[in-house]
């Protein structure tokens, strides 16, 4: 008799083979169903309530998938590619998931028929290389010599991104703002130099952009209202020092046996604080910002000397101020004097002003780094949150387009063009590969089809028209959302940067191959040190 060999511990769940691949594909299909309807200008939004009761309204594939807390191991791959698309190019997160799932769905029949996954994967890789090559080939390079033309290009790319969002109707307004913000940055276009601040109340059109740093007025003590609120070319000190009396008292335990000694300690505490304040004043500082609290004594002291102060400034705001205005964040004022200019920042104008019901500190005309702050207005909090996410997509797209000015037409046009090219190519290869490449080519049609379905159009009809146009070499024909028809989306200025599509195609294919190559999932049971549920139930623990 054969001896029984046990290699996995008891309770390990493993499933493998063909059925495992098919079940993974089905799980991915279920995920795609969740976000299918959000695609495109006529896509719907999702309202997701998390376990703490926080509601989020979003149209962004990556955001929705993140919030869904998917536990299926294979389906989590989709969450990861959506995230990576979001991080890499910012937009196209729904498209990438739909494309992956469609590739999987179309290849599912081959798996069911017993074709080996490696053959499928090889064919997909080949087709992907061809597709990305084709995108590069047909992408239109728009010269950036003409500043005006370049700006128009960027605005159109931003508008295409925004047209599928909640703020689609204000897309002209916001695309200008996004392009302004990105063009205010320096060459490397650092994302963290664009601050986005949200102030509830007011209308969307009251949102504005500030050429510099802005942040909400911090908590302040009595005396603050007497401070100067506007300076021209101020000296700005950025501190990581607490200017409050309680600090020293909290730091140590002291045992005393008479009142005189107590008084000495109180006096010492005051003189330490005054010493710091005097150093700041003597150095000619006008604006004091600190990450740590600034107490009432200090606030009053600054007020008496025509200085401005803000304590508890958030770290990223302080860092952005430092990068923009120069200087350094200092932890001691010991060596501060009028000569120590390099540790102090400056800007053209500092002022505090009112936005809606909130007060903001503005630093404009910053000499060092180029930075911009968007101040968003709008009704509900969830609404502004979604506006912020939408603008993030648009900012990323504009950054991409600045770096790389080749574009393709959206609205399914580029997908149809790729589908046609690959279908034509598939006819030239023999054997099984032909079938797989044709299935892959068909997968691209999911984007125009879903755009139609979400808009309530007859998808079959529109797709037939599109296939016919593309067969006649009108390669920029896509869905016309306005007129339930097809149109040349290049002239209609539905533009997307080519890199977005290239990234989406490679990411989708890689994810599909990954899922196809997994034929076994092994789930190890929780450590046996923990009592099992059954044991708990039987009170054996
Ligand atoms: P994603 O998360 O993939 O960016 P979106 O909901 O933003 O998903 O939808 C993007 C799709 O909508 C793209 O295929 C884009 O080409 C298309 N699209 C955007 N604006 C238009 C428009 N005005 N007409 C037709 N299609 C559009
Ligand atoms: Mg989008």
């Amino acid at each position: 008799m054969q001896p029984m060999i046990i290699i996995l511990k008891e309770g390990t769940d493993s499933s493998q083979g063909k059925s495992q691949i098919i079940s993974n594909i089905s799980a991915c299909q279920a995920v795609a169903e969740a976000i299918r309807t959000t695609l495109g200008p006529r896509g719907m939004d999702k309202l997701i309530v998390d376990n703490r009761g926080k509601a989020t309204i979003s149209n962004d594939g990556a955001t929705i998938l993140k919030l869904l807390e998917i536990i299926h191991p294979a389906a989590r791959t989709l969450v990861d590619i959506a995230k990576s698309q979001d991080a890499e190019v910012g937009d196209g997160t729904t498209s990438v998931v739909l494309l992956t799932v469609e590739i999987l769905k179309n290849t599912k029949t081959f798996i069911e028929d017993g074709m080996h996954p490696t053959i499928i994967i090889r064919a997909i890789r080949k087709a992907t290389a061809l597709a990305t090559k084709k995108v590069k080939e047909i992408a239109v390079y728009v010269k950036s010599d003409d500043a005006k033309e370049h700006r128009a290009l960027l605005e159109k790319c931003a508008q295409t991104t925004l047209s599928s969002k909640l703020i689609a109707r204000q897309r002209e307004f916001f695309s200008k703002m996004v392009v302004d913000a990105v063009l205010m940055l320096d060459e490397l276009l650092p994302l963290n130099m664009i601050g986005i601040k949200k102030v509830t109340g007011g209308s969307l059109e009251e949102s504005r952009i500030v050429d510099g740093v802005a942040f909400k007025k911090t908590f302040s003590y009595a005396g603050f209202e007497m401070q100067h609120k506007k300076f021209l070319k101020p000296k700005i000190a950025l501190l990581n020092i607490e200017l409050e009396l309680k600090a020293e008292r909290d730091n140590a335990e002291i045992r005393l046996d008479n009142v005189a000694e107590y008084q000495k300690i109180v006096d010492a505490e005051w003189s330490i604080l005054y010493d710091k304040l005097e150093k700041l004043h003597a150095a000619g500082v006008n604006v004091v910002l600190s990450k740590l609290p600034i107490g009432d004594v200090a606030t009053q002291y600054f007020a008496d000397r025509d200085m401005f102060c803000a304590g508890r400034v958030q770290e990223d705001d302080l860092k952005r101020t430092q990068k923009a205005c120069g200087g350094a964040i200092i932890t001691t004022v010991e060596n501060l004097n009028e000569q120590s200019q390099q540790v102090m920042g400056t800007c053209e104008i500092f002022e505090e002003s009112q936005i809606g019901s909130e007060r903001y500190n503005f630093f404009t005309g910053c000499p060092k780094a180029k930075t911009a702050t968007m101040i968003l207005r709008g009704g509900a909090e969830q609404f502004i949150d979604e506006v912020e996410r939408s603008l993030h997509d648009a900012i990323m797209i504009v950054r991409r387009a600045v770096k790389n000015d080749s574009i393709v037409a959206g609205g399914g046009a580029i997908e149809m063009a790729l589908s046609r090219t690959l279908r034509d190519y598939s006819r030239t290869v023999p054997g099984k590969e032909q079938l797989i490449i044709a299935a892959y080519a068909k997968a691209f049609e999911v984007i125009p089809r879903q755009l139609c379905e979400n808009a309530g159009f007859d998808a079959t009809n529109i797709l037939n028209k599109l296939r016919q146009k593309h067969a006649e070499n009108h390669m920029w024909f896509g869905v016309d959302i306005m007129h339930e028809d097809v149109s040349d989306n290049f002239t209609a200025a539905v533009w997307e940067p080519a890199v977005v599509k290239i990234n989406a195609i490679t990411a989708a294919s890689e994810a599909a191959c990954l899922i196809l190559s997994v034929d076994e999932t092994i789930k190890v049971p929780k450590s046996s040190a923990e009592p099992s549920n059954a044991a708990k139930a039987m009170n054996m623990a």
Side-chain angles (χ1 to χ4, degrees):
M1 207 177 89
Q2 284 269 321
M4 203 164 87
I5 305 170
I6 298 173
I7 47 170
L8 298 174
K9 72 181 164 187
E10 200 189 338
T12 305
D13 168 32
S14 92
S15 40
Q16 53 181 304
K18 200 165 103 179
S19 61
Q20 178 61 24
I21 302 180
I22 291 170
S23 106
N24 281 345
I25 294 178
S26 307
C28 293
Q29 278 179 281
V31 172
E33 287 311 315
I35 56 168
R36 199 171 273 284
T37 56
T38 66
L39 185 81
R42 294 284 186 272
M44 309 299 267
D45 297 338
K46 301 277 168 194
L47 193 153
I48 299 155
V49 185
D50 69 6
N51 51 13
R52 269 177 275 124
K54 187 174 180 297
T56 310
I57 297 177
S58 187
N59 172 278
D60 183 51
T63 309
I64 298 170
L65 289 182
K66 240 184 275 170
L67 289 169
L68 285 182
E69 295 187 21
I70 289 164
I71 51 164
H72 192 283
R76 286 203 57 83
T77 321
L78 296 180
V79 184
D80 292 340
I81 53 160
K83 274 192 203 159
S84 84
Q85 175 83 4
D86 196 36
E88 190 60 30
V89 286
D91 196 19
T93 49
T94 314
S95 312
V96 76
V97 174
L98 290 185
L99 195 57
T100 312
V101 173
E102 196 69 14
I103 297 172
L104 288 172
K105 193 177 119 195
N106 290 358
T107 46
K108 197 164 140 186
T109 45
F110 302 128
I111 299 278
E112 280 166 347
D113 291 347
M115 201 185 279
H116 198 277
T118 14
I119 299 176
I120 305 180
I121 291 171
R122 203 182 316 129
I124 290 182
R125 292 244 160 88
K126 201 166 174 184
T128 310
L130 218 78
T132 47
K133 197 170 127 235
K134 180 77 181 170
V135 177
K136 286 183 196 148
E137 231 171 75
I138 62 176
V140 180
Y141 283 83
V142 188
K143 329 174 271 308
S144 59
D145 308 342
D146 184 352
K148 225 169 148 190
E149 209 173 286
H150 188 54
R151 213 198 132 89
L153 159 86
L154 298 179
E155 277 183 17
K156 281 187 187 132
C157 288
Q159 280 189 24
T160 305
T161 300
L162 291 178
S163 68
S164 58
K165 306 287 182 192
L166 255 172
I167 47 174
R169 294 214 310 188
Q170 288 84 5
R171 63 175 180 269
E172 270 181 45
F173 175 81
F174 281 108
S175 61
K176 282 204 180 73
M177 199 157 133
V178 166
V179 174
D180 277 339
V182 174
L183 292 183
M184 273 178 206
L185 303 179
D186 60 16
E187 243 138 68
L188 288 173
L189 306 176
L191 191 61
N192 59 359
M193 292 308 274
I194 300 181
I196 298 186
K197 301 286 163 191
K198 297 170 276 187
V199 186
T200 42
S203 75
L204 268 178
E205 282 85 0
E206 279 170 60
S207 304
R208 63 182 175 119
I209 183 162
V210 180
D211 169 17
V213 186
F215 54 83
K216 202 165 130 185
K217 170 188 163 295
T218 53
F219 176 80
S220 62
Y221 286 97
F224 178 77
E225 292 312 328
M226 287 147 62
Q227 290 181 347
H228 252 260
K229 301 284 164 52
K230 182 167 181 171
F231 293 93
L232 298 177
K233 289 196 188 296
K235 280 191 190 170
I236 306 167
L238 307 159
L239 311 180
N240 190 4
I241 306 174
E242 205 166 58
L243 297 173
E244 215 176 13
L245 279 175
K246 77 170 215 323
E248 284 76 11
R249 198 165 54 205
D250 284 351
N251 283 347
E253 181 185 312
I254 309 161
R255 304 207 169 177
L256 307 165
D257 48 20
N258 62 59
V259 175
E261 253 179 69
Y262 180 67
Q263 187 60 42
K264 258 197 241 162
I265 289 173
V266 173
D267 289 347
E269 221 183 327
W270 280 72
S271 74
I272 290 170
L273 178 65
Y274 269 109
D275 197 39
K276 288 184 198 163
L277 297 177
E278 264 156 30
K279 286 246 164 63
L280 286 167
H281 179 57
V285 173
N286 306 108
V287 175
V288 181
L289 302 180
S290 178
K291 209 170 102 181
L292 298 173
I294 295 182
D296 47 354
V297 177
T299 306
Q300 190 63 48
Y301 180 96
F302 291 138
D304 293 342
R305 284 159 189 79
D306 278 346
M307 290 158 76
F308 174 90
C309 73
R312 294 201 178 106
V313 178
Q314 280 188 4
E315 186 158 7
D316 53 340
D317 288 332
L318 199 67
K319 280 210 178 121
R320 213 151 57 85
T321 316
Q322 184 230 331
K323 281 212 184 104
C325 301
I329 298 175
I330 50 178
T331 47
T332 170
V333 287
E334 248 346 279
N335 305 317
L336 202 65
N337 55 41
E338 276 218 73
Q339 273 72 52
S340 45
Q341 297 303 334
Q342 67 277 16
V343 298
M344 278 188 261
T346 187
C347 64
E348 288 303 318
I349 305 171
F350 163 77
E351 70 179 318
E352 189 192 279
S353 61
Q354 190 86 20
I355 300 180
S357 59
E358 315 216 20
R359 281 201 261 164
Y360 265 74
N361 296 331
F362 290 97
F363 299 81
T364 44
C366 304
K368 283 284 176 198
K370 300 178 176 160
T371 177
T373 310
M374 290 182 176
I375 299 175
L376 305 181
R377 306 295 314 275
E381 195 189 318
Q382 285 101 336
F383 183 71
I384 305 195
D385 285 350
E386 174 67 2
V387 174
E388 182 187 357
R389 280 191 291 272
S390 311
L391 290 181
H392 167 260
D393 283 14
I395 290 170
M396 292 290 285
I397 287 299
V398 174
R399 283 174 69 221
R400 282 282 156 197
V402 168
K403 287 186 186 164
N404 181 323
D405 42 18
S406 70
I407 52 165
V408 295
I414 178 75
E415 284 84 4
M416 286 308 289
L418 291 176
S419 183
R420 187 212 153 177
T421 313
L422 289 172
R423 201 168 344 107
D424 288 351
Y425 170 74
S426 76
R427 297 208 180 99
T428 66
V429 285
K432 292 176 192 162
E433 226 170 39
Q434 177 178 42
L435 298 174
I436 302 164
I437 295 178
Y440 180 86
K442 198 157 171 31
F444 281 100
E445 291 184 355
V446 69
I447 303 290
R449 181 172 320 112
Q450 198 60 45
L451 286 173
C452 291
E453 269 165 22
N454 290 351
F457 301 166
D458 180 347
T460 318
N461 182 16
I462 302 257
L463 247 70
N464 278 337
K465 281 193 198 170
L466 280 179
R467 282 193 207 109
Q468 185 241 335
K469 285 286 177 198
H470 280 264
E472 290 169 1
N473 283 331
H474 297 294
M475 64 177 175
W476 294 133
F477 265 73
V479 183
D480 181 350
I481 289 291
M482 294 301 156
H483 305 102
E484 183 163 0
D485 201 356
V486 297
S487 67
D488 187 329
N489 277 352
F490 199 85
T491 37
V494 181
W495 294 351
E496 294 181 87
V499 273
V500 177
K501 291 296 167 197
I502 293 177
N503 206 70
I505 295 166
T506 27
S509 305
E510 280 307 319
C513 291
L514 184 69
I515 290 167
L516 287 174
S517 65
V518 173
D519 75 340
E520 181 162 5
T521 311
I522 304 167
K523 273 197 209 127
V524 178
K526 285 239 176 76
S527 156
S528 57
E530 270 178 46
S532 71
N533 283 341
K536 264 191 220 156
M538 281 152 58
N539 240 345
M540 281 163 61

